[in-house]
Amino acid sequence: MNHTEKAINAIFAIQRSARTALENVPVPPLGAAPAWIDGLLDATHVLQGFDSDRVQHLDRETLRGILDHSPKQFLKWDCRAGNAAISDDGNLCWFDFEYCGMRHGAEDFAWLIGDESWPVDAKTMFGIVEACLRNDGHTDVDSYMHYLAIYSTFHMLQRLALINAEVDRRGWRGMKKIIERDDVGRHPVFAAMLCRNAMYSASLSPLTAPLRRGFKRAANWHDKQAVKLKMRSKNTPA
């Protein structure tokens, strides 16, 4: 089992354990306020400069109904690579549960899929999650995966908005330093990777497919920024 499979299986293991251990423990819901759902839907503004026509044709009310999910499963939340570690015996452990709560359950995987510094593409990630669900005897895999695709798309819109805001405030940063410091992925290569992963998740549902072209254009724009950044670094005296 590779590190990616270990990471996903460890999240499923946490969720399974929580269903028993926290059965009679009150756990706060996550993303229950209407304003929280608005924040997801409004994150499409990051693509306005790349494809404003298609962004405007999203079925926001149907998407709102899907994203406004009741709390049914414990979530670690913030499942990014910086919150995981490999123990001496080779097991992968998740830490930092300060934002945990209850929601659908797929959101934990969306955090990892939407981690711009995570080196595994979205198609591979979706495949592993689906295989785990089927092996675990999940009763409605298709519905689960549809929700994961839609939520992941909007989560990655929010990540892209965060990257843009941090670049505006602090500028680009080297990829090595970002990983070392568990910083927001404010490097154009990371941003382009995020956009391409979002392209894939958006393509999995007709409700989010209109965003695909905007993500593609955003990825291409960040590719060009990466070339410019590399050229500037070469021309900067040591």
Side-chain angles (χ1 to χ4, degrees):
M1 186 181 296
N2 60 37
H3 289 335
T4 302
E5 293 168 331
K6 287 180 180 179
I8 291 172
N9 276 279
I11 293 171
F12 274 119
I14 290 168
Q15 293 186 354
R16 280 194 300 270
S17 298
R19 285 197 288 271
T20 302
L22 302 176
E23 184 177 5
N24 298 311
V25 178
V27 180
L30 294 172
W36 193 88
I37 305 298
D38 288 339
L40 285 173
L41 294 170
D42 291 345
T44 54
H45 77 271
V46 299
L47 296 182
Q48 286 286 353
F50 298 103
D51 194 6
S52 59
D53 292 341
R54 293 191 181 183
V55 169
Q56 293 173 6
H57 289 107
L58 285 179
D59 185 348
R60 287 175 62 96
E61 289 311 306
T62 299
L63 286 164
R64 178 184 296 279
I66 294 170
L67 292 169
D68 187 8
H69 207 283
S70 58
K72 67 175 186 178
Q73 171 62 59
F74 175 84
L75 293 169
K76 177 209 169 297
W77 207 251
D78 199 13
C79 289
R80 297 175 298 105
N83 289 329
I86 304 295
S87 63
D88 291 339
D89 59 6
N91 289 319
L92 187 142
C93 307
W94 286 100
F95 58 88
D96 191 358
F97 284 72
E98 65 177 312
Y99 300 116
C100 67
M102 299 284 288
R103 214 167 190 275
H104 177 280
E107 294 88 353
D108 276 346
F109 304 106
W111 271 96
L112 190 55
I113 293 167
D115 180 353
E116 61 275 3
S117 62
W118 182 249
V120 183
D121 65 272
K123 183 177 181 179
T124 300
M125 295 292 289
F126 273 83
I128 297 172
V129 172
E130 182 173 356
C132 287
L133 287 169
R134 296 193 186 282
N135 291 339
D136 204 32
H138 197 279
T139 56
D140 194 352
V141 175
D142 290 342
S143 177
Y144 189 105
M145 294 303 296
H146 185 242
Y147 176 82
L148 174 60
I150 289 176
Y151 185 84
S152 294
T153 299
F154 282 92
H155 176 75
M156 285 188 270
L157 282 167
Q158 288 191 320
R159 290 300 298 181
L160 184 58
L162 177 62
I163 290 170
N164 289 346
E166 288 299 303
V167 171
D168 288 344
R169 189 167 70 91
R170 298 188 287 162
W172 299 115
R173 191 178 198 184
M175 290 188 289
K176 184 177 179 181
K177 286 292 184 182
I178 288 170
I179 294 172
E180 287 176 352
R181 305 291 175 88
D182 189 24
D183 197 359
V184 174
R186 50 190 177 96
H187 190 286
V189 168
F190 285 154
M193 287 168 52
L194 178 71
C195 290
R196 291 195 168 90
N197 284 333
M199 277 176 59
Y200 178 78
S201 65
S203 72
L204 297 177
S205 170
L207 289 167
T208 50
L211 298 174
R212 189 179 184 279
R213 189 172 72 177
F215 281 125
K216 182 178 182 179
R217 291 176 177 177
N220 291 339
W221 183 86
H222 283 97
D223 285 340
K224 293 176 182 176
Q225 299 308 304
V227 172
K228 291 179 182 178
L229 187 64
K230 187 175 182 180
M231 291 300 296
R232 284 202 300 268
S233 66
K234 284 183 177 180
N235 295 329
T236 301

PDB file of all heavy atoms in Angstrom, residues 66 69 72 104 106 130 133-134 138-151:
ATOM      1  N   ILE A  66     -27.580  20.506  -2.906  1.00  0.00           N
ATOM      2  CA  ILE A  66     -26.647  19.390  -2.741  1.00  0.00           C
ATOM      3  C   ILE A  66     -25.594  19.702  -1.683  1.00  0.00           C
ATOM      4  O   ILE A  66     -25.276  18.858  -0.835  1.00  0.00           O
ATOM      5  CB  ILE A  66     -25.978  19.070  -4.093  1.00  0.00           C
ATOM      6  CG1 ILE A  66     -27.016  18.533  -5.078  1.00  0.00           C
ATOM      7  CG2 ILE A  66     -24.823  18.074  -3.914  1.00  0.00           C
ATOM      8  CD1 ILE A  66     -26.516  18.409  -6.501  1.00  0.00           C
ATOM      9  N   HIS A  69     -25.668  20.015   3.225  1.00  0.00           N
ATOM     10  CA  HIS A  69     -25.836  18.628   3.671  1.00  0.00           C
ATOM     11  C   HIS A  69     -25.979  18.524   5.188  1.00  0.00           C
ATOM     12  O   HIS A  69     -25.318  19.238   5.941  1.00  0.00           O
ATOM     13  CB  HIS A  69     -24.663  17.766   3.203  1.00  0.00           C
ATOM     14  CG  HIS A  69     -25.022  16.329   3.036  1.00  0.00           C
ATOM     15  ND1 HIS A  69     -25.165  15.466   4.098  1.00  0.00           N
ATOM     16  CD2 HIS A  69     -25.305  15.610   1.922  1.00  0.00           C
ATOM     17  CE1 HIS A  69     -25.498  14.278   3.647  1.00  0.00           C
ATOM     18  NE2 HIS A  69     -25.589  14.328   2.333  1.00  0.00           N
ATOM     19  N   LYS A  72     -24.022  13.963   9.305  1.00  0.00           N
ATOM     20  CA  LYS A  72     -24.252  12.530   9.564  1.00  0.00           C
ATOM     21  C   LYS A  72     -22.968  11.749   9.837  1.00  0.00           C
ATOM     22  O   LYS A  72     -23.024  10.621  10.299  1.00  0.00           O
ATOM     23  CB  LYS A  72     -24.990  11.900   8.381  1.00  0.00           C
ATOM     24  CG  LYS A  72     -24.191  11.831   7.084  1.00  0.00           C
ATOM     25  CD  LYS A  72     -24.974  11.074   6.005  1.00  0.00           C
ATOM     26  CE  LYS A  72     -24.130  10.865   4.758  1.00  0.00           C
ATOM     27  NZ  LYS A  72     -24.852  10.094   3.726  1.00  0.00           N
ATOM     28  N   HIS A 104     -21.234  15.498   5.764  1.00  0.00           N
ATOM     29  CA  HIS A 104     -21.469  14.352   4.889  1.00  0.00           C
ATOM     30  C   HIS A 104     -20.451  13.241   5.118  1.00  0.00           C
ATOM     31  O   HIS A 104     -20.796  12.067   5.254  1.00  0.00           O
ATOM     32  CB  HIS A 104     -21.421  14.817   3.426  1.00  0.00           C
ATOM     33  CG  HIS A 104     -21.577  13.722   2.424  1.00  0.00           C
ATOM     34  ND1 HIS A 104     -20.540  12.883   2.063  1.00  0.00           N
ATOM     35  CD2 HIS A 104     -22.654  13.312   1.694  1.00  0.00           C
ATOM     36  CE1 HIS A 104     -20.962  12.014   1.155  1.00  0.00           C
ATOM     37  NE2 HIS A 104     -22.235  12.262   0.915  1.00  0.00           N
ATOM     38  N   ALA A 106     -17.567  13.045   2.961  1.00  0.00           N
ATOM     39  CA  ALA A 106     -16.669  13.130   1.801  1.00  0.00           C
ATOM     40  C   ALA A 106     -15.762  14.349   1.857  1.00  0.00           C
ATOM     41  O   ALA A 106     -14.739  14.397   1.157  1.00  0.00           O
ATOM     42  CB  ALA A 106     -17.489  13.155   0.511  1.00  0.00           C
ATOM     43  N   GLU A 130     -13.227   5.635  -4.422  1.00  0.00           N
ATOM     44  CA  GLU A 130     -14.337   4.790  -4.871  1.00  0.00           C
ATOM     45  C   GLU A 130     -14.064   3.314  -4.583  1.00  0.00           C
ATOM     46  O   GLU A 130     -14.959   2.575  -4.138  1.00  0.00           O
ATOM     47  CB  GLU A 130     -14.577   4.983  -6.368  1.00  0.00           C
ATOM     48  CG  GLU A 130     -15.743   4.161  -6.884  1.00  0.00           C
ATOM     49  CD  GLU A 130     -16.114   4.468  -8.325  1.00  0.00           C
ATOM     50  OE1 GLU A 130     -15.507   5.381  -8.917  1.00  0.00           O
ATOM     51  OE2 GLU A 130     -17.029   3.790  -8.852  1.00  0.00           O
ATOM     52  N   LEU A 133     -14.664   2.646  -0.924  1.00  0.00           N
ATOM     53  CA  LEU A 133     -16.095   2.610  -0.624  1.00  0.00           C
ATOM     54  C   LEU A 133     -16.695   1.266  -1.016  1.00  0.00           C
ATOM     55  O   LEU A 133     -17.481   0.670  -0.252  1.00  0.00           O
ATOM     56  CB  LEU A 133     -16.819   3.732  -1.376  1.00  0.00           C
ATOM     57  CG  LEU A 133     -16.609   5.162  -0.864  1.00  0.00           C
ATOM     58  CD1 LEU A 133     -17.159   6.161  -1.871  1.00  0.00           C
ATOM     59  CD2 LEU A 133     -17.283   5.360   0.497  1.00  0.00           C
ATOM     60  N   ARG A 134     -16.344   0.772  -2.191  1.00  0.00           N
ATOM     61  CA  ARG A 134     -16.903  -0.508  -2.656  1.00  0.00           C
ATOM     62  C   ARG A 134     -16.397  -1.667  -1.806  1.00  0.00           C
ATOM     63  O   ARG A 134     -17.158  -2.587  -1.483  1.00  0.00           O
ATOM     64  CB  ARG A 134     -16.573  -0.716  -4.136  1.00  0.00           C
ATOM     65  CG  ARG A 134     -17.232   0.333  -5.041  1.00  0.00           C
ATOM     66  CD  ARG A 134     -17.176  -0.033  -6.513  1.00  0.00           C
ATOM     67  NE  ARG A 134     -17.693   1.051  -7.341  1.00  0.00           N
ATOM     68  CZ  ARG A 134     -18.980   1.318  -7.527  1.00  0.00           C
ATOM     69  NH1 ARG A 134     -19.893   0.562  -6.934  1.00  0.00           N
ATOM     70  NH2 ARG A 134     -19.375   2.324  -8.301  1.00  0.00           N
ATOM     71  N   HIS A 138     -20.157   0.069   0.984  1.00  0.00           N
ATOM     72  CA  HIS A 138     -21.002   1.271   1.039  1.00  0.00           C
ATOM     73  C   HIS A 138     -22.240   1.060   0.175  1.00  0.00           C
ATOM     74  O   HIS A 138     -22.165   0.511  -0.927  1.00  0.00           O
ATOM     75  CB  HIS A 138     -20.214   2.486   0.548  1.00  0.00           C
ATOM     76  CG  HIS A 138     -20.815   3.791   0.929  1.00  0.00           C
ATOM     77  ND1 HIS A 138     -21.849   4.356   0.232  1.00  0.00           N
ATOM     78  CD2 HIS A 138     -20.547   4.644   1.942  1.00  0.00           C
ATOM     79  CE1 HIS A 138     -22.184   5.512   0.786  1.00  0.00           C
ATOM     80  NE2 HIS A 138     -21.404   5.707   1.827  1.00  0.00           N
ATOM     81  N   THR A 139     -23.392   1.508   0.667  1.00  0.00           N
ATOM     82  CA  THR A 139     -24.666   1.197   0.009  1.00  0.00           C
ATOM     83  C   THR A 139     -24.963   2.050  -1.216  1.00  0.00           C
ATOM     84  O   THR A 139     -25.729   1.635  -2.082  1.00  0.00           O
ATOM     85  CB  THR A 139     -25.832   1.345   1.007  1.00  0.00           C
ATOM     86  OG1 THR A 139     -25.807   2.669   1.559  1.00  0.00           O
ATOM     87  CG2 THR A 139     -25.718   0.312   2.124  1.00  0.00           C
ATOM     88  N   ASP A 140     -24.398   3.241  -1.323  1.00  0.00           N
ATOM     89  CA  ASP A 140     -24.708   4.115  -2.461  1.00  0.00           C
ATOM     90  C   ASP A 140     -23.450   4.853  -2.900  1.00  0.00           C
ATOM     91  O   ASP A 140     -23.292   6.052  -2.676  1.00  0.00           O
ATOM     92  CB  ASP A 140     -25.815   5.100  -2.078  1.00  0.00           C
ATOM     93  CG  ASP A 140     -26.414   5.794  -3.301  1.00  0.00           C
ATOM     94  OD1 ASP A 140     -25.870   5.612  -4.399  1.00  0.00           O
ATOM     95  OD2 ASP A 140     -27.416   6.512  -3.144  1.00  0.00           O
ATOM     96  N   VAL A 141     -22.578   4.117  -3.562  1.00  0.00           N
ATOM     97  CA  VAL A 141     -21.282   4.661  -3.967  1.00  0.00           C
ATOM     98  C   VAL A 141     -21.445   5.786  -4.985  1.00  0.00           C
ATOM     99  O   VAL A 141     -20.775   6.823  -4.892  1.00  0.00           O
ATOM    100  CB  VAL A 141     -20.378   3.547  -4.539  1.00  0.00           C
ATOM    101  CG1 VAL A 141     -19.068   4.137  -5.071  1.00  0.00           C
ATOM    102  CG2 VAL A 141     -20.085   2.499  -3.470  1.00  0.00           C
ATOM    103  N   ASP A 142     -22.340   5.614  -5.931  1.00  0.00           N
ATOM    104  CA  ASP A 142     -22.507   6.620  -6.987  1.00  0.00           C
ATOM    105  C   ASP A 142     -22.928   7.970  -6.409  1.00  0.00           C
ATOM    106  O   ASP A 142     -22.409   9.023  -6.809  1.00  0.00           O
ATOM    107  CB  ASP A 142     -23.528   6.151  -8.016  1.00  0.00           C
ATOM    108  CG  ASP A 142     -23.015   4.983  -8.852  1.00  0.00           C
ATOM    109  OD1 ASP A 142     -21.793   4.757  -8.872  1.00  0.00           O
ATOM    110  OD2 ASP A 142     -23.846   4.298  -9.477  1.00  0.00           O
ATOM    111  N   SER A 143     -23.863   7.951  -5.464  1.00  0.00           N
ATOM    112  CA  SER A 143     -24.327   9.190  -4.838  1.00  0.00           C
ATOM    113  C   SER A 143     -23.198   9.841  -4.045  1.00  0.00           C
ATOM    114  O   SER A 143     -23.019  11.066  -4.089  1.00  0.00           O
ATOM    115  CB  SER A 143     -25.524   8.904  -3.919  1.00  0.00           C
ATOM    116  OG  SER A 143     -25.934  10.079  -3.251  1.00  0.00           O
ATOM    117  N   TYR A 144     -22.435   9.019  -3.316  1.00  0.00           N
ATOM    118  CA  TYR A 144     -21.305   9.519  -2.531  1.00  0.00           C
ATOM    119  C   TYR A 144     -20.281  10.194  -3.445  1.00  0.00           C
ATOM    120  O   TYR A 144     -19.815  11.304  -3.163  1.00  0.00           O
ATOM    121  CB  TYR A 144     -20.660   8.360  -1.770  1.00  0.00           C
ATOM    122  CG  TYR A 144     -19.612   8.765  -0.760  1.00  0.00           C
ATOM    123  CD1 TYR A 144     -19.892   8.728   0.607  1.00  0.00           C
ATOM    124  CD2 TYR A 144     -18.330   9.150  -1.158  1.00  0.00           C
ATOM    125  CE1 TYR A 144     -18.921   9.074   1.541  1.00  0.00           C
ATOM    126  CE2 TYR A 144     -17.369   9.507  -0.227  1.00  0.00           C
ATOM    127  CZ  TYR A 144     -17.669   9.465   1.124  1.00  0.00           C
ATOM    128  OH  TYR A 144     -16.708   9.830   2.045  1.00  0.00           O
ATOM    129  N   MET A 145     -19.944   9.526  -4.543  1.00  0.00           N
ATOM    130  CA  MET A 145     -18.926  10.051  -5.437  1.00  0.00           C
ATOM    131  C   MET A 145     -19.412  11.314  -6.155  1.00  0.00           C
ATOM    132  O   MET A 145     -18.613  12.209  -6.444  1.00  0.00           O
ATOM    133  CB  MET A 145     -18.517   8.984  -6.454  1.00  0.00           C
ATOM    134  CG  MET A 145     -17.814   7.770  -5.842  1.00  0.00           C
ATOM    135  SD  MET A 145     -16.321   8.193  -4.881  1.00  0.00           S
ATOM    136  CE  MET A 145     -15.267   8.861  -6.172  1.00  0.00           C
ATOM    137  N   HIS A 146     -20.702  11.388  -6.434  1.00  0.00           N
ATOM    138  CA  HIS A 146     -21.245  12.593  -7.059  1.00  0.00           C
ATOM    139  C   HIS A 146     -21.118  13.780  -6.114  1.00  0.00           C
ATOM    140  O   HIS A 146     -20.718  14.878  -6.519  1.00  0.00           O
ATOM    141  CB  HIS A 146     -22.709  12.376  -7.457  1.00  0.00           C
ATOM    142  CG  HIS A 146     -23.300  13.521  -8.209  1.00  0.00           C
ATOM    143  ND1 HIS A 146     -24.372  14.256  -7.751  1.00  0.00           N
ATOM    144  CD2 HIS A 146     -22.946  14.093  -9.405  1.00  0.00           C
ATOM    145  CE1 HIS A 146     -24.661  15.217  -8.618  1.00  0.00           C
ATOM    146  NE2 HIS A 146     -23.820  15.143  -9.625  1.00  0.00           N
ATOM    147  N   TYR A 147     -21.455  13.556  -4.844  1.00  0.00           N
ATOM    148  CA  TYR A 147     -21.309  14.630  -3.862  1.00  0.00           C
ATOM    149  C   TYR A 147     -19.833  15.020  -3.719  1.00  0.00           C
ATOM    150  O   TYR A 147     -19.499  16.211  -3.658  1.00  0.00           O
ATOM    151  CB  TYR A 147     -21.866  14.204  -2.502  1.00  0.00           C
ATOM    152  CG  TYR A 147     -21.649  15.252  -1.433  1.00  0.00           C
ATOM    153  CD1 TYR A 147     -22.515  16.341  -1.308  1.00  0.00           C
ATOM    154  CD2 TYR A 147     -20.556  15.175  -0.565  1.00  0.00           C
ATOM    155  CE1 TYR A 147     -22.306  17.321  -0.355  1.00  0.00           C
ATOM    156  CE2 TYR A 147     -20.337  16.149   0.391  1.00  0.00           C
ATOM    157  CZ  TYR A 147     -21.218  17.215   0.495  1.00  0.00           C
ATOM    158  OH  TYR A 147     -20.996  18.189   1.439  1.00  0.00           O
ATOM    159  N   LEU A 148     -18.954  14.023  -3.668  1.00  0.00           N
ATOM    160  CA  LEU A 148     -17.528  14.309  -3.532  1.00  0.00           C
ATOM    161  C   LEU A 148     -17.035  15.157  -4.699  1.00  0.00           C
ATOM    162  O   LEU A 148     -16.256  16.098  -4.503  1.00  0.00           O
ATOM    163  CB  LEU A 148     -16.727  13.001  -3.469  1.00  0.00           C
ATOM    164  CG  LEU A 148     -15.195  13.135  -3.458  1.00  0.00           C
ATOM    165  CD1 LEU A 148     -14.722  13.945  -2.258  1.00  0.00           C
ATOM    166  CD2 LEU A 148     -14.533  11.756  -3.469  1.00  0.00           C
ATOM    167  N   ALA A 149     -17.492  14.852  -5.910  1.00  0.00           N
ATOM    168  CA  ALA A 149     -17.061  15.612  -7.079  1.00  0.00           C
ATOM    169  C   ALA A 149     -17.508  17.067  -6.982  1.00  0.00           C
ATOM    170  O   ALA A 149     -16.722  17.990  -7.229  1.00  0.00           O
ATOM    171  CB  ALA A 149     -17.621  14.970  -8.348  1.00  0.00           C
ATOM    172  N   ILE A 150     -18.766  17.273  -6.618  1.00  0.00           N
ATOM    173  CA  ILE A 150     -19.283  18.639  -6.543  1.00  0.00           C
ATOM    174  C   ILE A 150     -18.628  19.409  -5.407  1.00  0.00           C
ATOM    175  O   ILE A 150     -18.163  20.549  -5.591  1.00  0.00           O
ATOM    176  CB  ILE A 150     -20.823  18.621  -6.386  1.00  0.00           C
ATOM    177  CG1 ILE A 150     -21.463  18.166  -7.703  1.00  0.00           C
ATOM    178  CG2 ILE A 150     -21.354  20.000  -5.987  1.00  0.00           C
ATOM    179  CD1 ILE A 150     -22.961  18.003  -7.648  1.00  0.00           C
ATOM    180  N   TYR A 151     -18.545  18.794  -4.230  1.00  0.00           N
ATOM    181  CA  TYR A 151     -17.941  19.501  -3.112  1.00  0.00           C
ATOM    182  C   TYR A 151     -16.463  19.787  -3.388  1.00  0.00           C
ATOM    183  O   TYR A 151     -15.972  20.885  -3.087  1.00  0.00           O
ATOM    184  CB  TYR A 151     -18.086  18.708  -1.805  1.00  0.00           C
ATOM    185  CG  TYR A 151     -17.558  19.491  -0.638  1.00  0.00           C
ATOM    186  CD1 TYR A 151     -18.359  20.422   0.011  1.00  0.00           C
ATOM    187  CD2 TYR A 151     -16.240  19.344  -0.217  1.00  0.00           C
ATOM    188  CE1 TYR A 151     -17.861  21.196   1.048  1.00  0.00           C
ATOM    189  CE2 TYR A 151     -15.732  20.109   0.810  1.00  0.00           C
ATOM    190  CZ  TYR A 151     -16.546  21.025   1.445  1.00  0.00           C
ATOM    191  OH  TYR A 151     -16.041  21.797   2.455  1.00  0.00           O
TER     192      TYR A 151
END
